[in-house]
Amino acid sequence: MNQQQVNFLKNEVVFHLKHLAPDAKGSWGKMNGQQMVEHMAEMLKVANGRIHHNALPDKEKMAKAYAWLMTDKPFRENTINPLLPEEPNPTEYNTMQQAIEAVQKEMDHFFEVFETTPGLKIENPIFGNLNFEEQVQLMYKHFQHHLKQFGLINS
């Protein structure tokens, strides 16, 4: 297990998000600050098992995506998620604070689910069935990508 990644998710993500304006524009992409925060809450819901999307049907692409996931390579700017609409979803929460609280709630649930069920694997629709360490790798890469997008961390 990569303890540095776990510590980043548990202790740094929400700290950085609190420094983001809801209408902030990223260096790339179409989402504003609050849309990105809400996007991350939704991705955490996939990682912690609260929501389920059907896996992409192409198992060869999934195997390639998984192989990439397990590298140190970051997400590229403007990476396309085939499960998301072309235009960002409208915001669900009335305030940025509520959106950040949703990220914290889903992050806490993520760690709780895996702590109470050792060996658990939860399906990710793009990368396949992932155990705790693999989910941490994905969440770490994904948060790094979006925090860099909005200038909240350096490369």
Side-chain angles (χ1 to χ4, degrees):
M1 172 175 53
N2 186 325
Q3 194 60 46
Q4 184 262 336
Q5 290 179 343
V6 169
N7 291 341
F8 177 80
L9 294 173
K10 282 186 171 182
N11 304 318
E12 296 181 39
V13 165
V14 169
F15 169 81
H16 291 299
L17 294 178
K18 288 179 179 178
H19 293 88
L20 182 62
D23 60 348
K25 297 293 179 207
S27 297
W28 66 84
K30 297 178 180 180
M31 289 186 285
N32 66 29
Q34 185 164 338
Q35 288 168 324
M36 180 275 286
V37 172
E38 292 188 19
H39 163 70
M40 294 311 301
E42 288 299 305
M43 295 303 101
L44 280 162
K45 287 179 184 178
V46 173
N48 67 28
R50 282 200 210 264
I51 61 174
H52 177 79
H53 294 286
N54 290 330
L56 295 178
D58 189 332
K59 297 303 175 198
E60 186 176 320
K61 281 187 180 179
M62 186 178 280
K64 286 181 181 179
Y66 176 82
W68 169 84
L69 174 63
M70 300 318 294
T71 70
D72 290 335
K73 295 177 185 174
F75 280 97
R76 291 187 315 265
E77 294 178 8
N78 291 307
T79 297
I80 302 295
N81 181 332
L83 300 173
L84 295 178
E86 192 172 313
E87 293 301 317
N89 290 321
T91 56
E92 175 182 342
Y93 297 99
N94 292 325
T95 68
M96 179 66 121
Q97 180 61 33
Q98 290 173 328
I100 293 169
E101 288 170 2
V103 168
Q104 185 67 65
K105 175 184 171 188
E106 297 307 329
M107 185 78 74
D108 292 345
H109 187 67
F110 170 78
F111 285 104
E112 181 182 318
V113 164
F114 282 99
E115 286 170 10
T116 58
T117 314
L120 178 66
K121 289 189 172 193
I122 294 178
E123 184 177 41
N124 179 282
I126 295 172
F127 300 100
N129 286 321
L130 304 179
N131 65 24
F132 175 69
E133 289 81 12
E134 295 160 336
Q135 294 280 4
V136 166
Q137 172 82 352
L138 173 56
M139 289 299 102
Y140 178 80
K141 281 187 174 197
H142 200 170
F143 272 107
Q144 289 274 315
H145 171 74
H146 286 298
L147 293 175
K148 287 176 189 173
Q149 176 187 13
F150 284 88
L152 297 170
I153 60 172
N154 296 322
S155 299

